[in-house]
Amino acid sequence: MIQNNILKKTFFFVTVLLVSWNSFSQNNISKIAFGSCSNQSNPLPIFDVVVKHQPDLFIFLGDNIYGDTENMNTLQSKYDRLAAKPTFQNLKKNVPIIATWDDHDYGQNDAGRHYPKKEESKELFLKFFDEPVASERRKHEGIYTSYMYENKGKKVQIILLDNRTFRDNHKKYNGEVKDDKRYFYSLDYAPIQTPDSTYLGAAQWKWLESELQKPADVRLIGSGSQFGIEYNGYEGWANFPLEQKRFLNLIKKTKANGILFLTGDVHYGEISKLVEPGLYPIYDFTSSGLSSTWHFATPNKNRIEGPIMENHFGLLIIDWKKKIPQIKMEIWDVNDNQRAEYTIGLDEISFKK
């Protein structure tokens, strides 16, 4: 009996300790790593570099695998291949993970709402990233979601968008851009000016407005496609300029302070700064190429750092100890070399009082 009581007390103590530790880990967040474009066929040593930096969180921003199929057995096998990698196992063991998707893990290159297997693909995605059975994410169409982390009274809100499930088809490019001679490559898509075209869909827009009304000091908006770059003929919010403008107007309407975009997709890293009248600067911190690469960076007049063409991840560090908290954006390559650094004060991305 005495032995049983000792075992029960020991179990209770360990349980309380674990719960307290998990709560501490979740509620104290100031170092956030992120990236996109990790091909399951590649070794992915970058994950070991991420672990070395000991972030509080890692965000997958899409193309987490390269599925590109309507066969769910094939898609599952590609998730299995990523799961089996020692470097991914190391990441999962040591760093909490959250995720959204982009086209290749959604299931089809550049696909939107017409991809026929989006519900089946969603289930595989949620299963792979250990989404709780009771999660709200499982109760609505698409995979958009949000998280709130608190650090000694300071709140970090992370909003992960779904830019696939509800998005209308792209408009194929057919000479619509007058200065297209500045592009040294073939343009795939033209900006859509149709008022009823959508990027996020009605339900997600309604949800997003409610999220931006929640109190938070820093708001990180995770989007598979880039938000703050200029039009370049490839995928991005610039192909839906009315929807991009809608987002900017929504920030003004809700007076949501502290917004900074984290994006992926393009197979290189950069930091862009979008200037909009009546709004603080919108920074877009792109990290793309956990294992994928590209041979050139597109023109981007909003670029202030980069491009970084080698495999890398993004690291965002919030210094809450400063009188005005600072946000440092860093890009680290696969050889653990820092390739870019840019720091802003939280007041720079806040409405003036």
Side-chain angles (χ1 to χ4, degrees), residues 2 38 95 97 109 129 160 179 240 278 285 307 332 338 348:
I2 294 175
S38 54
V95 184
I97 293 171
N109 184 50
F129 287 106
L160 299 183
D179 62 342
F240 290 78
F285 184 9
W332 291 83
Q338 188 189 57
E348 186 178 341

Side-chain angles (χ1 to χ4, degrees), residues 163-180:
N163 60 306
R164 295 292 160 186
T165 303
F166 311 96
R167 200 213 69 207
D168 283 331
N169 285 343
H170 289 300
K171 178 181 179 181
K172 294 292 185 181
Y173 182 75
N174 189 29
E176 289 87 349
V177 179
K178 294 181 180 179
D179 62 342
D180 63 1

Side-chain angles (χ1 to χ4, degrees), residues 8-28:
K8 288 180 180 178
K9 289 180 180 179
T10 302
F11 178 78
F12 174 79
F13 175 77
V14 172
T15 302
V16 170
L17 186 62
L18 286 173
V19 170
S20 299
W21 172 250
N22 287 338
S23 176
F24 175 86
S25 298
Q26 182 180 5
N27 292 339
N28 287 266

Side-chain angles (χ1 to χ4, degrees), residues 69-73 75 101 105-108 111-125 165:
T69 182
E70 294 182 12
N71 185 317
M72 294 301 102
N73 291 328
L75 194 62
W101 62 16
D105 42 346
Y106 180 56
Q108 182 179 315
R113 64 187 178 90
H114 297 291
Y115 173 64
K117 295 290 185 178
K118 57 185 178 182
E119 288 300 322
E120 295 88 340
S121 177
K122 173 184 175 178
E123 289 305 310
L124 295 185
F125 172 92
T165 303

Side-chain angles (χ1 to χ4, degrees), residues 166-308:
F166 311 96
R167 200 213 69 207
D168 283 331
N169 285 343
H170 289 300
K171 178 181 179 181
K172 294 292 185 181
Y173 182 75
N174 189 29
E176 289 87 349
V177 179
K178 294 181 180 179
D179 62 342
D180 63 1
K181 290 184 179 179
R182 67 182 292 234
Y183 302 101
F184 51 89
Y185 53 90
S186 299
L187 303 178
D188 290 340
Y189 307 117
I192 298 176
Q193 303 291 348
T194 309
D196 62 351
S197 62
T198 187
Y199 204 76
L200 299 182
Q204 189 172 187
W205 274 116
K206 182 178 180 180
W207 167 84
L208 178 59
E209 181 169 354
S210 68
E211 288 296 317
L212 293 182
Q213 292 172 336
K214 294 178 179 179
D217 297 281
V218 175
R219 305 174 198 269
L220 304 179
I221 311 292
S223 168
S225 295
Q226 291 181 295
F227 184 87
I229 65 166
E230 65 171 318
Y231 165 80
N232 62 20
Y234 288 165
E235 282 207 300
W237 279 79
N239 291 324
F240 290 78
L242 300 181
E243 291 284 85
Q244 185 183 44
K245 184 69 173 179
R246 181 177 180 175
F247 205 135
L248 297 172
N249 287 339
L250 184 59
I251 298 172
K252 297 177 188 177
K253 176 184 176 181
T254 58
K255 296 294 182 182
N257 286 323
I259 286 179
L260 187 148
F261 278 80
L262 304 180
T263 64
D265 178 49
V266 292
H267 296 189
Y268 52 84
E270 63 182 347
I271 301 173
S272 303
K273 181 179 180 181
L274 177 63
V275 178
E276 165 76 6
L279 181 60
Y280 53 80
I282 298 297
Y283 289 91
D284 184 341
F285 184 9
T286 300
S287 176
S288 173
L290 291 167
S291 70
S292 301
T293 58
W294 195 242
H295 47 284
F296 65 85
T298 64
N300 178 16
K301 64 184 179 183
N302 298 336
R303 182 184 295 129
I304 57 175
E305 289 287 342
I308 308 302

